[in-house]
Amino acid sequence: MLYKCIWEGCNRVWGEPEPGEEGFSHGLCPIHSRVAFTEIFRRLQQKEGNPDCYLRCYGNCPRHWCTFYPLCAIDEPGPEHVAELEMRLTARNLSVQKGF
Ligand SMILES: [Zn+2]
């Protein structure tokens, strides 16, 4: 499935084309997911009893174990970083409205 980012002015395309499928599905690319989910991720950080420091450390975060570290610490994340974060969310029984 090919995806196209819905962020204004982005138009980034990612994913794998599949035979018999035409056009794009829509979602947020990893770079814009990282920004768009800021409020939600910070709320989840608080829910976990952590400081709501998501995107406040600019890559210098010492909390590597944090659920949101895979996206927070990287300026231009790729699908593999989103996948890592989803894995951590699942492992901790947290859920985010799917937008990835
Ligand atoms: Zn985008």
Side-chain angles (χ1 to χ4, degrees):
M1 182 69 79
L2 277 175
Y3 295 87
K4 197 170 197 174
C5 184
I6 55 172
W7 193 272
E8 210 185 315
C10 179
N11 292 324
R12 190 173 274 104
V13 169
W14 72 101
E16 297 290 330
E18 281 167 43
E21 268 180 6
E22 281 183 40
F24 301 102
S25 278
H26 293 90
L28 287 161
C29 70
I31 291 169
H32 288 118
S33 294
R34 178 176 182 259
V35 180
F37 287 93
T38 303
E39 291 305 314
I40 297 165
F41 288 174
R42 284 183 185 160
R43 224 173 301 141
L44 287 172
Q45 284 188 306
Q46 288 176 316
K47 203 173 140 194
E48 289 189 286
N50 295 319
D52 60 342
C53 55
Y54 182 74
L55 296 192
R56 293 194 217 267
C57 303
Y58 304 102
N60 291 316
C61 185
R63 285 180 274 273
H64 295 194
W65 42 261
C66 174
T67 307
F68 305 97
Y69 184 80
L71 281 189
C72 176
I74 293 167
D75 280 340
E76 297 201 359
E80 70 275 21
H81 299 110
V82 173
E84 166 71 21
L85 186 135
E86 285 186 312
M87 226 174 65
R88 292 188 184 203
L89 283 170
T90 309
R92 285 157 210 204
N93 260 327
L94 293 169
S95 64
V96 173
Q97 194 112 70
K98 284 284 193 179
F100 296 140

